[in-house]
Amino acid sequence: MSNFKVFVGIDISKESFSACAISSPQDVIFEDTFPMDSHGFKAFIRKLNAFPKNSILIGKESSGCYYINLFVYLSKKNFNCVVLNPLIVKGVQNMEIRKTKTDRSDARRIAFALYTAQYVLPQKSFLSHEFRELARERERITQQIATLKNDIEKALAVLFPELERRVNIYTESILRVLEKYPSAWALKAAPLSDIQKIISSEAGRASSVTAESLKKWADNSIGQFFPVRELILQGKIRELFFLEEQLERVTELLKKSCEEAALCQNIEILKSIKGIGDTTAMHFIAEVGDISRFSSPKKLIAYAGLDPTVYESGKFKGSSRLSKRGNRHLRRVIWLMAVGVVIHNEYFRQYFKRRRTQGLPYKKAMLAVAHKLMRTIYAMLKHKKSFSLNHSLSPCM
């Protein structure tokens, strides 16, 4: 990244964007504001055309969504675009004695941050950021689904409390029945033939429960008549169907993006660790991007906010805690991966048990597993090698 000579920071709002171009912190080339429309985009390009494209690095802070159209436009024109971690920009801001907060001052800070961090920035940050947006959308949908399922279970605890103890309420056939008859009270009055028709309509699958069983359980249920709760439950079930369909679409698009970005090899490398599947592997790659931008496993761990911080002053020594200053999305994925390998991978399970016998509580033992897993993954991706129990890949383990 050392070939760059012009560093352009951009701060974007809904109606306009401010740009500051520098060649060094002491040399500002131009500062200007442009409208967020085709005229503004073209005027910005005319400013940039004064310099060779391969000498220009354009960046913005990772926040909001207004930048996407501008960055797509610039990328199609073959400009180098990156999205900066807010902590990098904040570090520049903290060095300033006089605190100012305007769109132009923010653009200048971003330009300074680009200049400072130019040697460690990934060369394809925009593409990886776009991939990351997909992964984060999938994460958001899964969290919404989990919340919805919790709401559905709470509703059924009142409307048909016996049902969840007897069947999996999240099969399509049960949800379809509940969508039409959202309580034991409603099922009591439902024609048996109608219930049977809904159950038998589930394509290609034999239902685990019969219409007769549902009617029998409903007849003996303690659930009472709550029309408002029934209406709410029906809405939650429809929303769940919609979100599950969206989740499937986003997952397929995420897989396609992996193939187009030639990330499949990295996905397969991660999956060679038993306990890591397609989904967590894709999310990990989406958040990390190019592993070579981290000079050591410690840098990767710190980026995830899994590094410890200790407060000390004089003779006082505070307790060690996670910094949690890094990428919260990556931190969540790493935790899920650590749980997965402890359950399914004998090597990491034995390591977890050993740390527990040494006196570590559950969360600290899991954190130790997460650290070991990150060191292993770092070495694997760095050397493009699959998981091996001889651990000859990394001297850090």
Side-chain angles (χ1 to χ4, degrees), residues 6-22 30-36 40-41 43-45 47-48 56-75 79-84 89 101-115 126:
V6 179
F7 305 89
V8 186
I10 297 177
D11 188 78
I12 301 180
S13 65
K14 187 175 182 180
E15 303 295 335
S16 65
F17 65 96
S18 295
C20 174
I22 66 171
F30 71 80
E31 287 183 291
D32 210 340
T33 300
F34 306 88
M36 280 291 286
F41 286 12
F44 182 48
I45 290 289
K47 286 272 191 181
L48 298 177
I56 303 171
L57 180 62
I58 304 167
K60 73 165 293 293
E61 188 177 358
S62 177
S63 62
C65 62
Y66 298 128
Y67 77 93
I68 293 176
N69 287 328
L70 174 60
F71 266 35
V72 168
Y73 180 83
L74 292 170
S75 295
F79 286 96
N80 296 288
C81 302
V82 297
V83 180
L84 290 175
V89 182
K101 174 65 178 170
T102 65
D103 290 345
R104 284 201 173 193
S105 64
D106 285 344
R108 183 179 290 197
R109 289 190 189 100
I110 293 166
F112 290 172
L114 283 173
Y115 179 86
F126 178 68

Side-chain angles (χ1 to χ4, degrees), residues 172-195:
E172 185 178 353
S173 58
I174 295 297
L175 286 173
R176 292 296 181 192
V177 169
L178 289 171
E179 184 184 13
K180 188 167 184 181
Y181 304 109
S183 68
W185 194 267
L187 276 166
K188 287 178 187 179
L192 188 65
S193 59
D194 286 3
I195 301 173

Side-chain angles (χ1 to χ4, degrees), residues 217-235:
W217 298 337
D219 289 338
N220 296 298
S221 176
I222 62 172
Q224 301 300 310
F225 182 53
F226 297 101
V228 174
R229 289 176 184 264
E230 289 184 10
L231 186 65
I232 292 172
L233 177 59
Q234 287 174 312

Side-chain angles (χ1 to χ4, degrees), residues 240-387:
L240 178 61
F241 281 134
F242 171 76
L243 286 176
E244 286 181 335
E245 185 180 344
Q246 289 295 102
L247 181 64
E248 188 176 343
R249 288 178 180 176
V250 171
T251 302
E252 285 303 312
L253 192 54
L254 195 60
K255 289 178 180 178
K256 186 178 179 182
S257 297
C258 280
E259 294 169 2
E260 290 176 352
L263 295 171
C264 290
Q265 182 188 8
N266 289 344
I267 301 293
E268 292 304 314
I269 288 172
L270 288 180
K271 286 170 58 183
S272 69
I273 302 177
K274 192 174 181 181
I276 297 178
D278 277 311
T279 301
T280 48
M282 285 191 296
H283 279 265
F284 180 87
I285 295 299
E287 297 299 333
V288 170
D290 184 0
I291 198 69
S292 65
R293 67 194 181 107
F294 301 98
S295 59
S296 70
K298 286 184 178 180
K299 295 287 181 65
L300 175 60
I301 291 168
Y303 179 69
L306 289 171
D307 53 323
T309 59
V310 180
Y311 176 73
E312 295 183 0
S313 178
K315 295 183 178 180
F316 173 78
K317 290 188 177 182
S319 59
S320 176
R321 306 180 70 177
L322 289 184
S323 71
K324 292 189 178 181
R325 290 192 63 193
N327 185 321
R328 63 183 176 86
H329 303 280
L330 178 60
R331 191 159 57 247
R332 174 181 173 273
V333 172
I334 291 173
W335 185 265
L336 291 175
M337 291 166 71
V339 171
V341 298
V342 166
I343 294 172
H344 298 288
N345 189 294
E346 184 63 25
Y347 173 75
F348 288 101
R349 181 163 56 249
Q350 291 304 320
Y351 179 75
F352 171 76
K353 288 180 178 178
R354 186 162 69 251
R355 299 312 303 266
R356 289 284 278 153
T357 58
Q358 291 170 353
L360 286 184
Y362 174 81
K363 284 190 176 180
K364 287 194 174 181
M366 284 300 302
L367 180 61
V369 171
H371 279 216
K372 191 172 189 67
L373 182 60
M374 286 306 95
R375 293 194 296 271
T376 303
I377 287 175
Y378 180 87
M380 289 165 58
L381 292 178
K382 197 84 170 174
H383 298 284
K384 299 295 181 186
K385 298 258 181 98
S386 296
F387 179 70

Side-chain angles (χ1 to χ4, degrees), residues 46-221:
R46 285 195 293 271
K47 286 272 191 181
L48 298 177
N49 282 340
F51 314 96
K53 281 184 182 178
N54 60 4
S55 71
I56 303 171
L57 180 62
I58 304 167
K60 73 165 293 293
E61 188 177 358
S62 177
S63 62
C65 62
Y66 298 128
Y67 77 93
I68 293 176
N69 287 328
L70 174 60
F71 266 35
V72 168
Y73 180 83
L74 292 170
S75 295
K76 285 180 177 178
K77 300 288 185 182
N78 296 318
F79 286 96
N80 296 288
C81 302
V82 297
V83 180
L84 290 175
N85 188 316
L87 288 175
I88 296 176
V89 182
K90 188 176 181 182
V92 173
Q93 183 177 355
N94 289 339
M95 289 188 291
E96 297 178 349
I97 296 175
R98 184 181 178 186
K99 304 297 181 184
T100 57
K101 174 65 178 170
T102 65
D103 290 345
R104 284 201 173 193
S105 64
D106 285 344
R108 183 179 290 197
R109 289 190 189 100
I110 293 166
F112 290 172
L114 283 173
Y115 179 86
T116 304
Q118 60 179 298
Y119 297 101
V120 295
L121 290 174
Q123 294 187 16
K124 295 184 178 179
S125 288
F126 178 68
L127 292 176
S128 64
H129 183 77
E130 188 178 54
F131 180 54
R132 188 181 304 127
E133 287 297 318
L134 262 181
R136 290 182 180 179
E137 176 64 10
R138 190 187 183 281
E139 179 186 344
R140 185 186 66 82
I141 293 172
T142 56
Q143 289 170 345
Q144 284 183 304
I145 288 175
T147 301
L148 265 180
K149 287 185 174 181
N150 188 46
D151 291 342
I152 289 170
E153 289 162 20
K154 286 179 179 178
L156 282 176
V158 175
L159 296 169
F160 197 167
E162 298 81 7
L163 187 62
E164 192 179 355
R165 297 196 291 267
R166 290 185 166 93
V167 296
N168 176 11
I169 61 173
Y170 295 114
T171 62
E172 185 178 353
S173 58
I174 295 297
L175 286 173
R176 292 296 181 192
V177 169
L178 289 171
E179 184 184 13
K180 188 167 184 181
Y181 304 109
S183 68
W185 194 267
L187 276 166
K188 287 178 187 179
L192 188 65
S193 59
D194 286 3
I195 301 173
Q196 183 61 52
K197 187 177 179 181
I198 296 172
I199 289 175
S200 60
S201 66
E202 189 173 358
R205 295 182 183 179
S207 177
S208 60
V209 64
T210 64
E212 290 81 4
S213 297
L214 285 174
K215 284 285 284 185
K216 182 181 177 181
W217 298 337
D219 289 338
N220 296 298
S221 176

